Amino acid sequence: MEGIPHPIPRTVEEVFNDFKGRRSGLINALTTDVDKFYQQCDPEKENLCLYGLPNETWEVNLPVEEVPPELPEPALGINFARDGMQEKDWLSLVAVHSDSWLLSVAFYFGARFGFGKNERKRLFLMINELPTIFEVVTGNVKPSKDQSANHNSSGKSKSSAKSRQSEPQSKMVKMSPPSKDEDESGEEDEEDDEQGATCGACGDSYGTDEFWICCDICERWFHGKCVKITPAKAEHIKQYKCPSCSSKRARV
């Protein structure tokens, strides 16, 4: 990613064009180039990220070393979960993280160049007119015209969109670490145990109206939004490792 100069977007239109270019690259990685992308995400490698570039290309690479980075960083260690999930579910998970990253990059530029309330609103409305990467990858909506060719050739990732989306929403308040007697223990006892928990990322206390997930390695709890895990995606993760534990594994 370094070494490829890209003009820095400064207006709402330029930020939106940057967003569209990166989005196209990411959709290519998860649809038309899916075989190449899958092969590059070897779980035996270190923490890898999927980058979308403004020129509608993509790359899998290590995170940048400088802190803080020039731009927000994509989800770290996407390769670790590759072989522990169904391919379609893993691609959907990467798509969700990619959507989150695209928004963070767009509004990073907005903050950096002082967009006001109206400019931020206009930028969001322009972005919101496009289907998310997750929607395109899972086939939940028709892609925009510029992505229709890419979408039509992505036979691998369409199959289970309806079944995942039709799952009952009642399970999406929180996600507990897997245990043998989980189903028998009852939600009431579970909530009592979790009342004293605080998020390992932001430090805020547990709230019953928020989705939480527990790391199976360090057993710390996290807001789903803090570690970029959605309730639907959590149900497909056999063993969740928080970013800190994933990083430790990579350095061993």
Side-chain angles (χ1 to χ4, degrees):
M1 200 171 89
E2 295 95 352
I4 304 177
H6 299 291
I8 298 176
R10 297 173 182 271
T11 67
V12 171
E13 287 71 22
E14 288 174 344
V15 171
F16 181 58
N17 286 334
D18 180 271
F19 176 94
K20 286 197 299 181
R22 295 179 190 274
R23 173 180 173 273
S24 294
L26 292 168
I27 290 175
N28 285 338
L30 298 171
T31 57
T32 55
D33 302 336
V34 67
D35 291 335
K36 180 180 176 183
F37 168 65
Y38 189 89
Q39 290 169 6
Q40 290 188 22
C41 292
D42 184 348
E44 296 303 315
K45 295 181 179 178
E46 293 191 47
N47 293 283
L48 293 175
C49 301
L50 172 61
Y51 293 90
L53 305 182
N55 61 358
E56 301 188 5
T57 61
W58 60 273
E59 69 174 12
V60 171
N61 212 334
L62 295 170
V64 296
E65 293 185 1
E66 69 262 24
V67 178
E70 181 183 353
L71 289 177
E73 282 289 282
L76 185 68
I78 57 170
N79 51 311
F80 294 152
R82 191 196 73 177
D83 293 348
M85 303 173 66
Q86 294 280 340
E87 180 179 338
K88 60 185 179 297
D89 295 329
W90 177 70
L91 292 172
S92 298
L93 178 61
V94 176
V96 169
H97 285 303
S98 298
D99 280 318
S100 178
W101 177 66
L102 281 179
L103 282 175
S104 67
V105 170
F107 283 87
Y108 165 84
F109 284 130
R112 181 173 176 182
F113 296 108
F115 286 6
K117 178 180 178 181
N118 291 334
E119 290 171 308
R120 293 194 302 272
K121 181 178 180 180
R122 185 154 62 95
L123 174 60
F124 178 77
L125 290 175
M126 293 166 74
I127 289 173
N128 206 37
E129 284 298 309
L130 297 173
T132 65
I133 297 174
F134 175 79
E135 289 171 331
V136 173
V137 167
T138 59
N140 285 347
V141 297
K142 292 181 180 179
S144 55
K145 291 180 181 178
D146 63 322
Q147 294 299 337
S148 59
N150 292 341
H151 181 58
N152 288 339
S153 61
S154 62
K156 287 192 176 183
S157 54
K158 290 182 183 179
S159 56
S160 69
K162 289 185 179 178
S163 63
R164 288 201 306 278
Q165 289 301 310
S166 62
E167 288 174 354
Q169 301 296 306
S170 60
K171 293 192 284 187
M172 295 191 175
V173 177
K174 58 185 177 294
M175 177 66 64
S176 299
S179 62
K180 293 181 181 177
D181 56 354
E182 183 179 14
D183 295 333
E184 300 170 4
S185 61
E187 287 186 6
E188 221 168 306
D189 295 335
E190 188 179 89
E191 289 184 10
D192 290 341
D193 292 340
E194 293 158 5
Q195 289 299 327
T198 56
C199 176
C202 69
D204 285 350
S205 298
Y206 172 79
T208 55
D209 59 341
E210 298 172 303
F211 168 69
W212 284 60
I213 188 167
C214 183
C215 175
D216 290 314
I217 305 302
C218 66
E219 298 187 350
R220 286 186 299 169
W221 286 83
F222 298 86
H223 288 109
K225 62 185 179 183
C226 290
V227 291
K228 298 181 180 179
I229 297 289
T230 66
K233 297 286 103 33
E235 294 189 5
H236 297 288
I237 299 175
K238 293 180 180 178
Q239 184 183 55
Y240 174 67
K241 296 183 182 67
C242 69
S244 176
C245 290
S246 293
S247 179
K248 287 176 186 176
R249 169 185 165 176
R251 300 294 181 244
V252 172

